[in-house]
Amino acid sequence: MVAVGHHLFAEGVDRREAERAWPSWLDRLFAELTEEVEMRRITAGLFITVDGVVESPDQWQEGYFNEEMGEAVGAGMAASDTMLLGRRTYEEFAGYWPHNPEADGADYMNNTPKLVVSTTLDTLAWQPATLIRGNLAEELTKLKQQPGKDIQVIGSGTLVGSLLREGLLDELSLLVHPVVVGRGKRLFQDGDAKVPLRLADSKTFSTGVLSLTYRPAGG
């Protein structure tokens, strides 16, 4: 099950815990922030452990999602008007959000345009959605030149790593949880190319979670 609040960074987390931490003012923030930026950015955010695991946060995140984290997640949502998803994330979300229209955040998830990167999908039942099957760099470059707010990668750790290596990601936000799990899919794999980054912002939450925002070193 995908949970409100957590959906920006991961799949399969506890819905009730997220809803308790979801400030009502975030819904108003989404409606108020309608200004377009001069140049769209591609951003991404992930929940991650100290040892780099991004898989199955429902197994290690208990007790860490609070109002501070909800505000961080909500700020990323408010700054974007398009979601960029990998196939697996799209299919998981499509199995939850259309069937739970009363859940907090459902309006955003169900109504925000979605870009889905996949070479195997032929149709996208959960709309509004557009399939990207061609040259990803070319397609995203065109989209960044169009008017609008940020394009945000939600979950989709494999896609995030690919965008970062290809120089297509403008901002990477990591919510580093103070836990080591020792197993599971990691954001970066052995053999990945070196990608210099600069720290643009950092915060420490009361739970010990670190909110780290990185941008390309040359940007």
Side-chain angles (χ1 to χ4, degrees):
M1 179 180 292
V2 181
V4 61
H6 292 75
H7 67 259
L8 185 59
F9 293 146
E11 306 88 31
V13 290
D14 184 79
R15 179 173 63 86
R16 290 172 298 178
E17 182 181 358
E19 289 179 343
R20 286 196 298 268
W22 184 266
S24 60
W25 59 264
L26 282 177
D27 290 327
R28 297 192 300 271
L29 182 63
F30 300 147
E32 293 171 0
L33 292 180
T34 57
E35 294 183 1
E36 296 178 348
V37 297
E38 293 183 1
M39 179 68 177
R40 301 179 85 180
R41 303 180 306 161
I42 298 177
T43 65
L46 289 165
F47 295 126
I48 190 168
T49 67
V50 169
D51 55 339
V53 173
V54 294
E55 182 181 12
S56 301
D58 58 309
Q59 298 180 14
W60 44 261
Q61 196 184 45
E62 183 178 358
Y64 292 113
F65 195 96
N66 62 358
E67 183 174 346
E68 294 168 300
M69 190 178 292
E71 290 179 3
V73 170
M77 294 171 63
S80 64
D81 61 7
T82 304
M83 289 185 275
L84 179 60
L85 309 173
R87 176 194 59 80
R88 181 178 177 182
T89 303
Y90 173 82
E91 290 181 331
E92 290 194 12
F93 286 180
Y96 175 78
W97 289 108
H99 311 292
N100 293 273
E102 302 303 320
D104 288 334
D107 284 345
Y108 177 87
M109 295 300 293
N110 287 323
N111 298 323
T112 299
K114 292 161 272 287
L115 305 172
V116 184
V117 180
S118 174
T119 59
T120 58
L121 291 177
D122 294 318
T123 60
L124 300 173
W126 184 36
Q127 292 289 325
T130 301
L131 186 63
I132 298 180
R133 303 188 66 171
N135 187 299
L136 182 59
E138 291 182 1
E139 293 297 329
L140 292 181
T141 298
K142 292 177 183 177
L143 289 167
K144 288 177 67 174
Q145 294 172 349
Q146 296 176 3
K149 298 161 73 173
D150 288 349
I151 300 169
Q152 181 140 29
V153 185
I154 300 181
S156 311
T158 300
L159 177 59
V160 170
S162 177
L163 294 173
L164 193 61
R165 291 191 297 274
E166 296 297 324
L168 298 173
L169 194 64
D170 298 299
E171 184 173 283
L172 173 63
S173 296
L174 299 176
L175 291 174
V176 185
H177 291 58
V179 60
V180 174
V181 296
R183 64 183 182 276
K185 181 179 178 181
R186 288 172 167 78
L187 178 56
F188 303 112
Q189 309 300 318
D190 290 344
D192 282 352
K194 177 181 177 181
V195 181
L197 302 171
R198 65 179 177 88
L199 183 64
D201 187 57
S202 65
K203 296 183 179 70
T204 302
F205 296 159
S206 59
T207 56
V209 171
L210 294 179
S211 175
L212 306 175
T213 302
Y214 292 96
R215 293 172 185 157

